Amino acid sequence: EAGVTQSPTHLIKTRGQQATLRCSPISGHTSVYWYQQALGLGLQFLLWYDEGEERNRGNFPPRFSGRQFPNYSSELNVNALELEDSALYLCASSLFTGELFFGEGSRLTVL
Amino acid sequence: SQQGEEDPQALSIQEGENATMNCSYKTSINNLQWYRQNSGRGLVHLILIRSNEREKHSGRLRVTLDTSKKSSSLLITASRAADTASYFCATDRGGSNYKLTFGKGTLLTVNP
């Protein structure tokens, strides 16, 4: 069974640009979670999608947005990139609330 | 904001020794989980303990939960070099606004 897959693995952007990160959950999982892991800050909750709807949002500005598609895959968009957006972005999926299954992450570097 | 805080921030031990990591949290919880992360990679779920449970075992892992003290501990027995990783506790409060909140983690180094 395939795990959670994320793309791209690495992404380099410059300030002001937009970044799009993608996530495919484990087959059958309807919930997708996004986390930001910046150096020294631990994992910060970004977004939770379930059945195509945004269910909860962390304390991030509106330039962080996303969506979940009918096949439950998800996209995270970060607009007007700032240097401090450089981080590892982790996606996780679950069938019910409880154990999360994480992907390997997308490392975003903003120059 | 961080709900869980792990202690210590870093721990270095010799292979074969036991490793104990602690987690404290601030508000009432529904579940507490422990995850492991190898350097710069995705997290792997280790164990989930519910708020009405006090202790749980899985292989060489033992987790305790004391809701009166709002704390949990993760014990890894007979550690191996392959156990070297960061360990995170994560809590949720259940409900419709479900959110799993992670601490900053403990970096465990097991020296061969």
Side-chain angles (χ1 to χ4, degrees), chain A residues 33 35 37 41 44-45 48 55-56 88 90 97-100 102-104, chain B residues 2 33 35 37 40-43 45 48 88 96-100 102-104:
Chain A
Y33 308 80
Y35 283 85
Q37 187 177 29
L41 292 180
Q44 303 288 330
F45 171 76
W48 169 32
R55 302 295 184 184
N56 201 0
L88 182 67
L90 292 162
T97 55
E99 176 184 353
L100 299 190
F102 281 84
E104 292 295 326
Chain B
Q2 300 297 130
Q33 302 180 49
Y35 286 80
Q37 182 182 37
R41 306 195 63 181
L43 278 74
H45 180 263
L48 180 153
F88 296 86
S96 57
N97 286 335
Y98 177 82
K99 180 171 75 172
L100 192 61
F102 286 80
K104 291 187 179 181

PDB file of all heavy atoms in Angstrom, chain A residues 33 35 37 41 44-45 48 55-56 88 90 97-100 102-104, chain B residues 2 33 35 37 40-43 45 48 88 96-100 102-104:
ATOM      1  N   TYR A  33      -3.861  16.773   6.443  1.00  0.00           N
ATOM      2  CA  TYR A  33      -3.361  17.812   7.342  1.00  0.00           C
ATOM      3  C   TYR A  33      -2.057  18.364   6.774  1.00  0.00           C
ATOM      4  O   TYR A  33      -1.245  17.624   6.236  1.00  0.00           O
ATOM      5  CB  TYR A  33      -3.079  17.230   8.731  1.00  0.00           C
ATOM      6  CG  TYR A  33      -4.231  16.454   9.344  1.00  0.00           C
ATOM      7  CD1 TYR A  33      -4.480  15.139   8.960  1.00  0.00           C
ATOM      8  CD2 TYR A  33      -5.054  17.035  10.302  1.00  0.00           C
ATOM      9  CE1 TYR A  33      -5.530  14.417   9.513  1.00  0.00           C
ATOM     10  CE2 TYR A  33      -6.099  16.326  10.866  1.00  0.00           C
ATOM     11  CZ  TYR A  33      -6.340  15.021  10.465  1.00  0.00           C
ATOM     12  OH  TYR A  33      -7.376  14.310  11.017  1.00  0.00           O
ATOM     13  N   TYR A  35       1.353  20.703   7.906  1.00  0.00           N
ATOM     14  CA  TYR A  35       2.136  21.272   8.995  1.00  0.00           C
ATOM     15  C   TYR A  35       3.363  21.958   8.413  1.00  0.00           C
ATOM     16  O   TYR A  35       3.914  21.532   7.385  1.00  0.00           O
ATOM     17  CB  TYR A  35       2.610  20.178   9.963  1.00  0.00           C
ATOM     18  CG  TYR A  35       1.540  19.675  10.901  1.00  0.00           C
ATOM     19  CD1 TYR A  35       0.664  18.667  10.495  1.00  0.00           C
ATOM     20  CD2 TYR A  35       1.407  20.201  12.179  1.00  0.00           C
ATOM     21  CE1 TYR A  35      -0.324  18.205  11.349  1.00  0.00           C
ATOM     22  CE2 TYR A  35       0.432  19.750  13.042  1.00  0.00           C
ATOM     23  CZ  TYR A  35      -0.434  18.750  12.632  1.00  0.00           C
ATOM     24  OH  TYR A  35      -1.405  18.288  13.477  1.00  0.00           O
ATOM     25  N   GLN A  37       7.262  22.939   9.438  1.00  0.00           N
ATOM     26  CA  GLN A  37       8.328  22.694  10.416  1.00  0.00           C
ATOM     27  C   GLN A  37       9.510  23.586  10.047  1.00  0.00           C
ATOM     28  O   GLN A  37      10.338  23.229   9.211  1.00  0.00           O
ATOM     29  CB  GLN A  37       8.736  21.219  10.440  1.00  0.00           C
ATOM     30  CG  GLN A  37       9.714  20.894  11.555  1.00  0.00           C
ATOM     31  CD  GLN A  37      10.062  19.425  11.623  1.00  0.00           C
ATOM     32  OE1 GLN A  37      10.049  18.716  10.625  1.00  0.00           O
ATOM     33  NE2 GLN A  37      10.388  18.932  12.826  1.00  0.00           N
ATOM     34  N   LEU A  41      11.424  25.635  15.495  1.00  0.00           N
ATOM     35  CA  LEU A  41      10.065  25.998  15.902  1.00  0.00           C
ATOM     36  C   LEU A  41       9.130  24.811  16.034  1.00  0.00           C
ATOM     37  O   LEU A  41       7.964  24.973  16.310  1.00  0.00           O
ATOM     38  CB  LEU A  41       9.466  26.998  14.911  1.00  0.00           C
ATOM     39  CG  LEU A  41      10.099  28.377  14.905  1.00  0.00           C
ATOM     40  CD1 LEU A  41       9.410  29.278  13.887  1.00  0.00           C
ATOM     41  CD2 LEU A  41      10.025  29.014  16.292  1.00  0.00           C
ATOM     42  N   GLN A  44       4.181  23.276  13.278  1.00  0.00           N
ATOM     43  CA  GLN A  44       3.076  24.207  13.444  1.00  0.00           C
ATOM     44  C   GLN A  44       1.918  23.767  12.547  1.00  0.00           C
ATOM     45  O   GLN A  44       2.098  23.589  11.347  1.00  0.00           O
ATOM     46  CB  GLN A  44       3.510  25.621  13.061  1.00  0.00           C
ATOM     47  CG  GLN A  44       4.717  26.143  13.836  1.00  0.00           C
ATOM     48  CD  GLN A  44       4.389  26.467  15.282  1.00  0.00           C
ATOM     49  OE1 GLN A  44       3.261  26.840  15.603  1.00  0.00           O
ATOM     50  NE2 GLN A  44       5.363  26.290  16.150  1.00  0.00           N
ATOM     51  N   PHE A  45       0.746  23.627  13.146  1.00  0.00           N
ATOM     52  CA  PHE A  45      -0.438  23.203  12.399  1.00  0.00           C
ATOM     53  C   PHE A  45      -0.877  24.289  11.435  1.00  0.00           C
ATOM     54  O   PHE A  45      -1.048  25.454  11.817  1.00  0.00           O
ATOM     55  CB  PHE A  45      -1.570  22.887  13.381  1.00  0.00           C
ATOM     56  CG  PHE A  45      -2.900  22.637  12.738  1.00  0.00           C
ATOM     57  CD1 PHE A  45      -3.161  21.439  12.112  1.00  0.00           C
ATOM     58  CD2 PHE A  45      -3.888  23.611  12.760  1.00  0.00           C
ATOM     59  CE1 PHE A  45      -4.392  21.215  11.519  1.00  0.00           C
ATOM     60  CE2 PHE A  45      -5.114  23.387  12.172  1.00  0.00           C
ATOM     61  CZ  PHE A  45      -5.379  22.197  11.543  1.00  0.00           C
ATOM     62  N   TRP A  48      -6.408  21.653   8.024  1.00  0.00           N
ATOM     63  CA  TRP A  48      -7.002  20.319   8.020  1.00  0.00           C
ATOM     64  C   TRP A  48      -8.144  20.311   7.000  1.00  0.00           C
ATOM     65  O   TRP A  48      -9.033  21.136   7.070  1.00  0.00           O
ATOM     66  CB  TRP A  48      -7.516  19.950   9.408  1.00  0.00           C
ATOM     67  CG  TRP A  48      -8.377  18.708   9.447  1.00  0.00           C
ATOM     68  CD1 TRP A  48      -8.279  17.600   8.644  1.00  0.00           C
ATOM     69  CD2 TRP A  48      -9.482  18.464  10.326  1.00  0.00           C
ATOM     70  NE1 TRP A  48      -9.252  16.685   8.978  1.00  0.00           N
ATOM     71  CE2 TRP A  48     -10.001  17.180  10.007  1.00  0.00           C
ATOM     72  CE3 TRP A  48     -10.069  19.190  11.351  1.00  0.00           C
ATOM     73  CZ2 TRP A  48     -11.085  16.614  10.685  1.00  0.00           C
ATOM     74  CZ3 TRP A  48     -11.144  18.620  12.036  1.00  0.00           C
ATOM     75  CH2 TRP A  48     -11.647  17.362  11.696  1.00  0.00           C
ATOM     76  N   ARG A  55     -11.604  22.159   7.484  1.00  0.00           N
ATOM     77  CA  ARG A  55     -12.236  21.916   8.783  1.00  0.00           C
ATOM     78  C   ARG A  55     -11.612  22.752   9.898  1.00  0.00           C
ATOM     79  O   ARG A  55     -12.261  23.079  10.883  1.00  0.00           O
ATOM     80  CB  ARG A  55     -12.129  20.438   9.164  1.00  0.00           C
ATOM     81  CG  ARG A  55     -12.738  19.488   8.169  1.00  0.00           C
ATOM     82  CD  ARG A  55     -14.235  19.646   8.056  1.00  0.00           C
ATOM     83  NE  ARG A  55     -14.805  18.651   7.153  1.00  0.00           N
ATOM     84  CZ  ARG A  55     -16.083  18.615   6.824  1.00  0.00           C
ATOM     85  NH1 ARG A  55     -16.931  19.515   7.307  1.00  0.00           N
ATOM     86  NH2 ARG A  55     -16.530  17.685   6.001  1.00  0.00           N
ATOM     87  N   ASN A  56     -10.335  23.034   9.780  1.00  0.00           N
ATOM     88  CA  ASN A  56      -9.669  23.815  10.818  1.00  0.00           C
ATOM     89  C   ASN A  56      -8.431  24.457  10.209  1.00  0.00           C
ATOM     90  O   ASN A  56      -7.872  23.962   9.214  1.00  0.00           O
ATOM     91  CB  ASN A  56      -9.280  22.929  12.016  1.00  0.00           C
ATOM     92  CG  ASN A  56      -9.071  23.747  13.287  1.00  0.00           C
ATOM     93  OD1 ASN A  56      -9.216  24.976  13.292  1.00  0.00           O
ATOM     94  ND2 ASN A  56      -8.719  23.074  14.364  1.00  0.00           N
ATOM     95  N   LEU A  88      10.282  22.987   6.181  1.00  0.00           N
ATOM     96  CA  LEU A  88       9.829  21.688   5.689  1.00  0.00           C
ATOM     97  C   LEU A  88       8.312  21.660   5.856  1.00  0.00           C
ATOM     98  O   LEU A  88       7.803  21.885   6.960  1.00  0.00           O
ATOM     99  CB  LEU A  88      10.477  20.558   6.488  1.00  0.00           C
ATOM    100  CG  LEU A  88      10.135  19.127   6.072  1.00  0.00           C
ATOM    101  CD1 LEU A  88      10.708  18.811   4.686  1.00  0.00           C
ATOM    102  CD2 LEU A  88      10.661  18.135   7.103  1.00  0.00           C
ATOM    103  N   LEU A  90       5.051  19.491   5.827  1.00  0.00           N
ATOM    104  CA  LEU A  90       4.666  18.093   5.977  1.00  0.00           C
ATOM    105  C   LEU A  90       3.168  17.929   5.780  1.00  0.00           C
ATOM    106  O   LEU A  90       2.374  18.704   6.306  1.00  0.00           O
ATOM    107  CB  LEU A  90       5.065  17.587   7.366  1.00  0.00           C
ATOM    108  CG  LEU A  90       6.566  17.472   7.612  1.00  0.00           C
ATOM    109  CD1 LEU A  90       6.864  17.397   9.100  1.00  0.00           C
ATOM    110  CD2 LEU A  90       7.125  16.252   6.901  1.00  0.00           C
ATOM    111  N   THR A  97      -9.936  10.810  13.057  1.00  0.00           N
ATOM    112  CA  THR A  97      -9.021  11.576  13.891  1.00  0.00           C
ATOM    113  C   THR A  97      -8.294  10.607  14.807  1.00  0.00           C
ATOM    114  O   THR A  97      -8.883   9.684  15.356  1.00  0.00           O
ATOM    115  CB  THR A  97      -9.776  12.613  14.725  1.00  0.00           C
ATOM    116  OG1 THR A  97     -10.789  11.944  15.487  1.00  0.00           O
ATOM    117  CG2 THR A  97     -10.422  13.652  13.837  1.00  0.00           C
ATOM    118  N   GLY A  98      -6.995  10.793  14.921  1.00  0.00           N
ATOM    119  CA  GLY A  98      -6.161   9.860  15.681  1.00  0.00           C
ATOM    120  C   GLY A  98      -4.799   9.805  15.041  1.00  0.00           C
ATOM    121  O   GLY A  98      -4.191  10.837  14.774  1.00  0.00           O
ATOM    122  N   GLU A  99      -4.317   8.622  14.768  1.00  0.00           N
ATOM    123  CA  GLU A  99      -2.982   8.454  14.201  1.00  0.00           C
ATOM    124  C   GLU A  99      -2.890   9.113  12.830  1.00  0.00           C
ATOM    125  O   GLU A  99      -3.741   8.903  11.961  1.00  0.00           O
ATOM    126  CB  GLU A  99      -2.659   6.966  14.065  1.00  0.00           C
ATOM    127  CG  GLU A  99      -1.331   6.679  13.384  1.00  0.00           C
ATOM    128  CD  GLU A  99      -1.094   5.198  13.179  1.00  0.00           C
ATOM    129  OE1 GLU A  99      -1.900   4.393  13.689  1.00  0.00           O
ATOM    130  OE2 GLU A  99      -0.112   4.854  12.502  1.00  0.00           O
ATOM    131  N   LEU A 100      -1.839   9.919  12.661  1.00  0.00           N
ATOM    132  CA  LEU A 100      -1.567  10.547  11.372  1.00  0.00           C
ATOM    133  C   LEU A 100      -0.441   9.803  10.668  1.00  0.00           C
ATOM    134  O   LEU A 100       0.522   9.363  11.299  1.00  0.00           O
ATOM    135  CB  LEU A 100      -1.155  12.010  11.554  1.00  0.00           C
ATOM    136  CG  LEU A 100      -2.154  12.948  12.215  1.00  0.00           C
ATOM    137  CD1 LEU A 100      -1.679  14.387  12.085  1.00  0.00           C
ATOM    138  CD2 LEU A 100      -3.537  12.796  11.637  1.00  0.00           C
ATOM    139  N   PHE A 102       2.376  10.418   7.903  1.00  0.00           N
ATOM    140  CA  PHE A 102       3.053  11.555   7.292  1.00  0.00           C
ATOM    141  C   PHE A 102       3.772  11.176   6.005  1.00  0.00           C
ATOM    142  O   PHE A 102       4.283  10.056   5.858  1.00  0.00           O
ATOM    143  CB  PHE A 102       4.085  12.143   8.252  1.00  0.00           C
ATOM    144  CG  PHE A 102       3.495  13.021   9.310  1.00  0.00           C
ATOM    145  CD1 PHE A 102       2.986  12.483  10.470  1.00  0.00           C
ATOM    146  CD2 PHE A 102       3.447  14.401   9.140  1.00  0.00           C
ATOM    147  CE1 PHE A 102       2.428  13.294  11.451  1.00  0.00           C
ATOM    148  CE2 PHE A 102       2.902  15.221  10.122  1.00  0.00           C
ATOM    149  CZ  PHE A 102       2.392  14.659  11.275  1.00  0.00           C
ATOM    150  N   GLY A 103       3.848  12.147   5.096  1.00  0.00           N
ATOM    151  CA  GLY A 103       4.725  12.048   3.949  1.00  0.00           C
ATOM    152  C   GLY A 103       6.130  12.480   4.341  1.00  0.00           C
ATOM    153  O   GLY A 103       6.382  12.845   5.497  1.00  0.00           O
ATOM    154  N   GLU A 104       7.047  12.459   3.368  1.00  0.00           N
ATOM    155  CA  GLU A 104       8.438  12.808   3.646  1.00  0.00           C
ATOM    156  C   GLU A 104       8.675  14.314   3.608  1.00  0.00           C
ATOM    157  O   GLU A 104       9.744  14.774   3.964  1.00  0.00           O
ATOM    158  CB  GLU A 104       9.364  12.110   2.649  1.00  0.00           C
ATOM    159  CG  GLU A 104       9.405  10.591   2.832  1.00  0.00           C
ATOM    160  CD  GLU A 104       9.993  10.169   4.161  1.00  0.00           C
ATOM    161  OE1 GLU A 104      10.905  10.850   4.665  1.00  0.00           O
ATOM    162  OE2 GLU A 104       9.529   9.160   4.738  1.00  0.00           O
TER     163      GLU A 104
ATOM    164  N   GLN B   2       2.368  26.090  21.138  1.00  0.00           N
ATOM    165  CA  GLN B   2       2.689  24.710  21.408  1.00  0.00           C
ATOM    166  C   GLN B   2       1.851  24.234  22.595  1.00  0.00           C
ATOM    167  O   GLN B   2       1.761  24.890  23.616  1.00  0.00           O
ATOM    168  CB  GLN B   2       4.189  24.581  21.737  1.00  0.00           C
ATOM    169  CG  GLN B   2       5.106  25.043  20.622  1.00  0.00           C
ATOM    170  CD  GLN B   2       4.968  24.216  19.348  1.00  0.00           C
ATOM    171  OE1 GLN B   2       4.813  24.738  18.261  1.00  0.00           O
ATOM    172  NE2 GLN B   2       5.000  22.918  19.508  1.00  0.00           N
ATOM    173  N   GLN B  33      -0.229  11.383  21.712  1.00  0.00           N
ATOM    174  CA  GLN B  33       0.505  10.482  20.832  1.00  0.00           C
ATOM    175  C   GLN B  33       1.992  10.820  20.882  1.00  0.00           C
ATOM    176  O   GLN B  33       2.378  11.946  21.197  1.00  0.00           O
ATOM    177  CB  GLN B  33       0.013  10.638  19.378  1.00  0.00           C
ATOM    178  CG  GLN B  33      -1.474  10.379  19.201  1.00  0.00           C
ATOM    179  CD  GLN B  33      -1.913  10.534  17.772  1.00  0.00           C
ATOM    180  OE1 GLN B  33      -1.291   9.989  16.856  1.00  0.00           O
ATOM    181  NE2 GLN B  33      -2.990  11.292  17.559  1.00  0.00           N
ATOM    182  N   TYR B  35       5.468  10.525  18.371  1.00  0.00           N
ATOM    183  CA  TYR B  35       5.955  10.323  17.008  1.00  0.00           C
ATOM    184  C   TYR B  35       7.476  10.388  17.013  1.00  0.00           C
ATOM    185  O   TYR B  35       8.091  11.011  17.875  1.00  0.00           O
ATOM    186  CB  TYR B  35       5.418  11.409  16.056  1.00  0.00           C
ATOM    187  CG  TYR B  35       3.966  11.266  15.692  1.00  0.00           C
ATOM    188  CD1 TYR B  35       2.973  11.699  16.561  1.00  0.00           C
ATOM    189  CD2 TYR B  35       3.578  10.711  14.474  1.00  0.00           C
ATOM    190  CE1 TYR B  35       1.626  11.573  16.231  1.00  0.00           C
ATOM    191  CE2 TYR B  35       2.238  10.585  14.132  1.00  0.00           C
ATOM    192  CZ  TYR B  35       1.271  11.017  15.016  1.00  0.00           C
ATOM    193  OH  TYR B  35      -0.057  10.892  14.684  1.00  0.00           O
ATOM    194  N   GLN B  37      10.898  11.186  14.363  1.00  0.00           N
ATOM    195  CA  GLN B  37      11.311  11.780  13.108  1.00  0.00           C
ATOM    196  C   GLN B  37      12.810  11.608  12.934  1.00  0.00           C
ATOM    197  O   GLN B  37      13.588  12.127  13.740  1.00  0.00           O
ATOM    198  CB  GLN B  37      10.952  13.273  13.042  1.00  0.00           C
ATOM    199  CG  GLN B  37      11.317  13.925  11.718  1.00  0.00           C
ATOM    200  CD  GLN B  37      10.998  15.409  11.663  1.00  0.00           C
ATOM    201  OE1 GLN B  37      11.150  16.119  12.661  1.00  0.00           O
ATOM    202  NE2 GLN B  37      10.544  15.902  10.521  1.00  0.00           N
ATOM    203  N   GLY B  40      15.166  15.405   9.246  1.00  0.00           N
ATOM    204  CA  GLY B  40      14.616  16.065   8.075  1.00  0.00           C
ATOM    205  C   GLY B  40      13.618  15.264   7.277  1.00  0.00           C
ATOM    206  O   GLY B  40      13.336  15.594   6.126  1.00  0.00           O
ATOM    207  N   ARG B  41      13.075  14.222   7.862  1.00  0.00           N
ATOM    208  CA  ARG B  41      12.141  13.365   7.137  1.00  0.00           C
ATOM    209  C   ARG B  41      10.760  13.417   7.777  1.00  0.00           C
ATOM    210  O   ARG B  41      10.511  14.184   8.689  1.00  0.00           O
ATOM    211  CB  ARG B  41      12.681  11.943   7.094  1.00  0.00           C
ATOM    212  CG  ARG B  41      14.092  11.871   6.530  1.00  0.00           C
ATOM    213  CD  ARG B  41      14.469  10.472   6.158  1.00  0.00           C
ATOM    214  NE  ARG B  41      13.612   9.946   5.096  1.00  0.00           N
ATOM    215  CZ  ARG B  41      13.742   8.722   4.610  1.00  0.00           C
ATOM    216  NH1 ARG B  41      14.651   7.910   5.105  1.00  0.00           N
ATOM    217  NH2 ARG B  41      12.946   8.286   3.648  1.00  0.00           N
ATOM    218  N   GLY B  42       9.844  12.619   7.242  1.00  0.00           N
ATOM    219  CA  GLY B  42       8.492  12.597   7.783  1.00  0.00           C
ATOM    220  C   GLY B  42       8.436  11.950   9.151  1.00  0.00           C
ATOM    221  O   GLY B  42       9.358  11.269   9.577  1.00  0.00           O
ATOM    222  N   LEU B  43       7.324  12.201   9.858  1.00  0.00           N
ATOM    223  CA  LEU B  43       7.152  11.632  11.186  1.00  0.00           C
ATOM    224  C   LEU B  43       6.503  10.254  11.090  1.00  0.00           C
ATOM    225  O   LEU B  43       5.687   9.995  10.205  1.00  0.00           O
ATOM    226  CB  LEU B  43       6.257  12.540  12.040  1.00  0.00           C
ATOM    227  CG  LEU B  43       6.954  13.731  12.686  1.00  0.00           C
ATOM    228  CD1 LEU B  43       7.269  14.807  11.660  1.00  0.00           C
ATOM    229  CD2 LEU B  43       6.093  14.302  13.800  1.00  0.00           C
ATOM    230  N   HIS B  45       4.357   7.474  13.416  1.00  0.00           N
ATOM    231  CA  HIS B  45       3.567   7.292  14.628  1.00  0.00           C
ATOM    232  C   HIS B  45       4.116   6.123  15.439  1.00  0.00           C
ATOM    233  O   HIS B  45       4.426   5.052  14.904  1.00  0.00           O
ATOM    234  CB  HIS B  45       2.112   7.014  14.257  1.00  0.00           C
ATOM    235  CG  HIS B  45       1.223   6.803  15.432  1.00  0.00           C
ATOM    236  ND1 HIS B  45       0.892   5.555  15.895  1.00  0.00           N
ATOM    237  CD2 HIS B  45       0.606   7.689  16.256  1.00  0.00           C
ATOM    238  CE1 HIS B  45       0.103   5.678  16.944  1.00  0.00           C
ATOM    239  NE2 HIS B  45      -0.089   6.959  17.175  1.00  0.00           N
ATOM    240  N   LEU B  48      -0.339   5.720  20.659  1.00  0.00           N
ATOM    241  CA  LEU B  48      -1.409   6.633  21.062  1.00  0.00           C
ATOM    242  C   LEU B  48      -1.949   6.157  22.408  1.00  0.00           C
ATOM    243  O   LEU B  48      -2.186   4.959  22.586  1.00  0.00           O
ATOM    244  CB  LEU B  48      -2.522   6.641  20.010  1.00  0.00           C
ATOM    245  CG  LEU B  48      -3.750   7.535  20.241  1.00  0.00           C
ATOM    246  CD1 LEU B  48      -4.371   7.931  18.898  1.00  0.00           C
ATOM    247  CD2 LEU B  48      -4.806   6.885  21.113  1.00  0.00           C
ATOM    248  N   PHE B  88       8.593  13.372  19.324  1.00  0.00           N
ATOM    249  CA  PHE B  88       7.618  14.427  19.582  1.00  0.00           C
ATOM    250  C   PHE B  88       6.388  13.851  20.267  1.00  0.00           C
ATOM    251  O   PHE B  88       5.908  12.772  19.894  1.00  0.00           O
ATOM    252  CB  PHE B  88       7.153  15.062  18.268  1.00  0.00           C
ATOM    253  CG  PHE B  88       8.220  15.779  17.501  1.00  0.00           C
ATOM    254  CD1 PHE B  88       9.042  15.112  16.619  1.00  0.00           C
ATOM    255  CD2 PHE B  88       8.385  17.154  17.663  1.00  0.00           C
ATOM    256  CE1 PHE B  88      10.019  15.777  15.908  1.00  0.00           C
ATOM    257  CE2 PHE B  88       9.362  17.830  16.945  1.00  0.00           C
ATOM    258  CZ  PHE B  88      10.182  17.133  16.063  1.00  0.00           C
ATOM    259  N   SER B  96     -15.052  18.905  16.965  1.00  0.00           N
ATOM    260  CA  SER B  96     -15.171  19.178  15.532  1.00  0.00           C
ATOM    261  C   SER B  96     -13.987  19.989  15.008  1.00  0.00           C
ATOM    262  O   SER B  96     -13.669  19.937  13.832  1.00  0.00           O
ATOM    263  CB  SER B  96     -16.485  19.920  15.253  1.00  0.00           C
ATOM    264  OG  SER B  96     -16.529  21.115  16.017  1.00  0.00           O
ATOM    265  N   ASN B  97     -13.344  20.768  15.863  1.00  0.00           N
ATOM    266  CA  ASN B  97     -12.164  21.527  15.430  1.00  0.00           C
ATOM    267  C   ASN B  97     -10.897  20.760  15.747  1.00  0.00           C
ATOM    268  O   ASN B  97      -9.957  21.290  16.318  1.00  0.00           O
ATOM    269  CB  ASN B  97     -12.124  22.895  16.119  1.00  0.00           C
ATOM    270  CG  ASN B  97     -13.153  23.833  15.539  1.00  0.00           C
ATOM    271  OD1 ASN B  97     -13.573  23.679  14.396  1.00  0.00           O
ATOM    272  ND2 ASN B  97     -13.565  24.797  16.329  1.00  0.00           N
ATOM    273  N   TYR B  98     -10.894  19.492  15.357  1.00  0.00           N
ATOM    274  CA  TYR B  98      -9.777  18.610  15.690  1.00  0.00           C
ATOM    275  C   TYR B  98      -8.457  19.211  15.208  1.00  0.00           C
ATOM    276  O   TYR B  98      -8.348  19.696  14.082  1.00  0.00           O
ATOM    277  CB  TYR B  98      -9.987  17.239  15.046  1.00  0.00           C
ATOM    278  CG  TYR B  98      -8.848  16.282  15.288  1.00  0.00           C
ATOM    279  CD1 TYR B  98      -8.764  15.557  16.475  1.00  0.00           C
ATOM    280  CD2 TYR B  98      -7.832  16.113  14.351  1.00  0.00           C
ATOM    281  CE1 TYR B  98      -7.715  14.690  16.715  1.00  0.00           C
ATOM    282  CE2 TYR B  98      -6.784  15.248  14.579  1.00  0.00           C
ATOM    283  CZ  TYR B  98      -6.740  14.539  15.758  1.00  0.00           C
ATOM    284  OH  TYR B  98      -5.696  13.677  15.986  1.00  0.00           O
ATOM    285  N   LYS B  99      -7.462  19.182  16.073  1.00  0.00           N
ATOM    286  CA  LYS B  99      -6.134  19.663  15.722  1.00  0.00           C
ATOM    287  C   LYS B  99      -5.146  18.897  16.580  1.00  0.00           C
ATOM    288  O   LYS B  99      -5.285  18.857  17.801  1.00  0.00           O
ATOM    289  CB  LYS B  99      -6.031  21.166  16.000  1.00  0.00           C
ATOM    290  CG  LYS B  99      -4.668  21.743  15.665  1.00  0.00           C
ATOM    291  CD  LYS B  99      -4.657  23.265  15.749  1.00  0.00           C
ATOM    292  CE  LYS B  99      -4.653  23.774  17.155  1.00  0.00           C
ATOM    293  NZ  LYS B  99      -4.442  25.250  17.187  1.00  0.00           N
ATOM    294  N   LEU B 100      -4.150  18.302  15.943  1.00  0.00           N
ATOM    295  CA  LEU B 100      -3.091  17.605  16.665  1.00  0.00           C
ATOM    296  C   LEU B 100      -1.939  18.584  16.825  1.00  0.00           C
ATOM    297  O   LEU B 100      -1.387  19.054  15.833  1.00  0.00           O
ATOM    298  CB  LEU B 100      -2.666  16.366  15.886  1.00  0.00           C
ATOM    299  CG  LEU B 100      -1.767  15.370  16.625  1.00  0.00           C
ATOM    300  CD1 LEU B 100      -2.474  14.829  17.852  1.00  0.00           C
ATOM    301  CD2 LEU B 100      -1.374  14.230  15.691  1.00  0.00           C
ATOM    302  N   PHE B 102       1.740  19.601  18.263  1.00  0.00           N
ATOM    303  CA  PHE B 102       3.019  18.976  18.576  1.00  0.00           C
ATOM    304  C   PHE B 102       3.873  19.849  19.470  1.00  0.00           C
ATOM    305  O   PHE B 102       3.829  21.082  19.397  1.00  0.00           O
ATOM    306  CB  PHE B 102       3.798  18.699  17.283  1.00  0.00           C
ATOM    307  CG  PHE B 102       3.261  17.556  16.480  1.00  0.00           C
ATOM    308  CD1 PHE B 102       2.159  17.733  15.656  1.00  0.00           C
ATOM    309  CD2 PHE B 102       3.847  16.306  16.544  1.00  0.00           C
ATOM    310  CE1 PHE B 102       1.650  16.684  14.907  1.00  0.00           C
ATOM    311  CE2 PHE B 102       3.350  15.250  15.800  1.00  0.00           C
ATOM    312  CZ  PHE B 102       2.252  15.443  14.972  1.00  0.00           C
ATOM    313  N   GLY B 103       4.713  19.200  20.268  1.00  0.00           N
ATOM    314  CA  GLY B 103       5.759  19.898  20.998  1.00  0.00           C
ATOM    315  C   GLY B 103       6.974  20.082  20.098  1.00  0.00           C
ATOM    316  O   GLY B 103       6.948  19.744  18.918  1.00  0.00           O
ATOM    317  N   LYS B 104       8.058  20.632  20.672  1.00  0.00           N
ATOM    318  CA  LYS B 104       9.254  20.905  19.880  1.00  0.00           C
ATOM    319  C   LYS B 104      10.178  19.708  19.776  1.00  0.00           C
ATOM    320  O   LYS B 104      11.129  19.730  19.006  1.00  0.00           O
ATOM    321  CB  LYS B 104      10.006  22.099  20.470  1.00  0.00           C
ATOM    322  CG  LYS B 104       9.268  23.411  20.289  1.00  0.00           C
ATOM    323  CD  LYS B 104      10.110  24.595  20.721  1.00  0.00           C
ATOM    324  CE  LYS B 104       9.337  25.885  20.499  1.00  0.00           C
ATOM    325  NZ  LYS B 104      10.126  27.074  20.883  1.00  0.00           N
TER     326      LYS B 104
END
